[in-house]
């Protein structure tokens, strides 16, 4: 199954994708994670995107489409995938439709006040990318990843100013994709509020998986 996870920053796309891969047995491909890996490695791509990401703006479409094209050509993506955080603009959606059309776009609905609360308390593992929350899903040992022992840190773009800018960017550039996928008959809408396990059940029911 080829799925797109849509929704504002902090909607729980990454968290749900990590749960859904166990059900669907397809890779979780997050463009945000791919870019963060490039920044960490200090690659030419990483140097280009570092400042854009820290402020919460969007990486140019050409670079983003290229990284997705490359990732989808890997053998593990042959039988399907969950694309988390891509597409995020109409040109990106057009490109994906030509490259490898998704079966469904799953939109997680969560109100702004809730996502702001979630993002200001989020922590992420620098080693394996596991997502935590100091209020609701803290690692067992403060600052240390349960899964890999890596450092659990606060993303640069989880500062108040960047969160605000990401939400504005989402409204302008990404939210129009809801209607775009709706018009193609591919949209599935899921209430993203509640325990992640409850949201996973809603997802399974809505998709019949
Ligand atoms: P990206 O990494 O994709 O960030 P984002 O879209 O802003 O989304 P987030 O990762 O912040 O939120 P999420 O929905 O995954 O929530 P999560 O599960 O972590 O992109 C980062 C940057 O990369 C962009 O700003 C841009 O610069 C660049 N980029 C990436 N893709 C791009 C593209 N296509 N085009 C151009 N540029 C691109 O959950 C958040 C918190 O909530 C966590 O603490 C979690 O524990 C908690 N939580 C999750 N679910 C629940 C729940 N059900 N109940 C309570 N808490 C929950
Ligand atoms: Mg994410
Ligand atoms: Zn880890």
């Amino acid at each position: 199954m080829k799925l797109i996870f849509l929704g504002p920053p902090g909607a729980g796309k990454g968290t749900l994708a990590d749960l859904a891969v166990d059900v669907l047995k397809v890779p979780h491909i997050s463009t945000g994670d791919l870019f963060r890996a490039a920044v960490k490695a200090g690659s030419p791509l990483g140097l280009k995107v570092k400042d854009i990401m820290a402020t919460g703006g969007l990486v140019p479409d050409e670079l983003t489409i290229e990284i997705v094209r490359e990732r989808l050509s890997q053998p593990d993506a042959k039988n399907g995938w969950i694309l988390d955080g891509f597409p995020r603009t109409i040109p990106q959606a057009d490109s994906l439709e030509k490259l490898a059309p998704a079966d469904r776009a799953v939109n997680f609905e969560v109100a702004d006040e809730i996502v702001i609360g979630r993002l200001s308390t989020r922590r992420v593992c620098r080693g394996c990318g596991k997502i935590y929350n100091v209020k609701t899903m803290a690692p067992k040992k403060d600052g240390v990843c349960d899964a890999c022992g890596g450092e659990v840190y606060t993303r640069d773009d989880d500062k108040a100013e960047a969160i605000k800018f990401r939400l504005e960017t989402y409204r302008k550039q990404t939210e129009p994709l809801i209607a775009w996928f709706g018009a193609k008959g591919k949209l599935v809408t899921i209430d993203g509020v509640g325990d992640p396990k409850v949201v996973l059940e809603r997802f399974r029911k809505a998709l019949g998986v």
Side-chain angles (χ1 to χ4, degrees):
M1 193 177 277
K2 294 180 178 135
L3 294 181
I4 289 162
F5 277 12
L6 280 177
K13 303 181 293 294
T15 302
L16 252 289
D18 283 339
L19 295 173
V21 291
D22 292 334
V23 177
L24 298 171
K25 314 284 181 215
V26 295
H28 167 199
I29 300 175
S30 154
T31 40
D33 287 348
L34 293 174
F35 287 136
R36 275 183 290 278
V39 171
K40 189 177 161 195
S43 69
L45 174 69
L47 294 176
K48 273 189 207 153
V49 303
K50 188 173 192 279
D51 292 345
I52 302 173
M53 290 182 77
T55 53
L58 291 185
V59 172
D61 285 338
E62 315 82 71
L63 290 178
T64 307
I65 292 162
E66 195 41 47
I67 202 175
V68 170
R69 190 193 309 279
E70 209 284 313
R71 182 62 187 85
L72 294 187
S73 72
Q74 304 289 317
D76 68 330
K78 230 175 38 203
N79 298 320
W81 28 257
I82 296 173
L83 264 180
D84 156 14
F86 182 94
R88 246 182 169 84
T89 63
I90 304 274
Q92 290 180 16
D94 273 326
S95 304
L96 184 68
E97 204 65 12
K98 285 176 199 134
L99 180 69
D103 301 309
R104 293 266 194 286
V106 184
N107 180 41
F108 294 94
E109 284 187 328
V110 181
D112 282 7
E113 314 85 74
I114 298 178
V115 299
I116 292 166
R118 286 181 182 180
L119 292 175
S120 46
T121 50
R122 172 167 60 187
R123 302 290 184 272
V124 180
C125 173
R126 221 185 268 284
C128 70
K130 192 171 160 62
I131 303 163
Y132 293 96
N133 189 288
V134 285
K135 271 204 180 146
T136 55
M137 282 166 258
K140 290 195 187 81
K141 192 169 167 225
D142 198 27
V144 181
C145 177
D146 297 344
C148 78
E151 181 204 352
V152 171
Y153 79 113
T154 303
R155 271 170 49 175
D156 284 346
D157 58 350
D158 279 346
K159 304 204 165 82
E161 265 308 293
I163 292 173
K164 188 167 166 267
F165 190 58
R166 282 157 67 203
L167 276 169
E168 286 166 14
T169 306
Y170 168 77
R171 286 273 112 73
K172 275 192 224 142
Q173 311 250 60
T174 309
E175 202 171 41
L177 290 178
I178 297 173
W180 196 90
F181 282 111
K184 290 208 177 314
K186 291 188 179 185
L187 187 70
V188 177
T189 303
I190 305 224
D191 174 5
V193 182
D195 189 273
K197 290 201 183 86
V198 173
V199 181
L200 179 70
E201 278 318 303
R202 287 182 198 135
F203 165 84
R204 294 186 69 152
K205 228 184 185 166
L207 283 128
V209 290

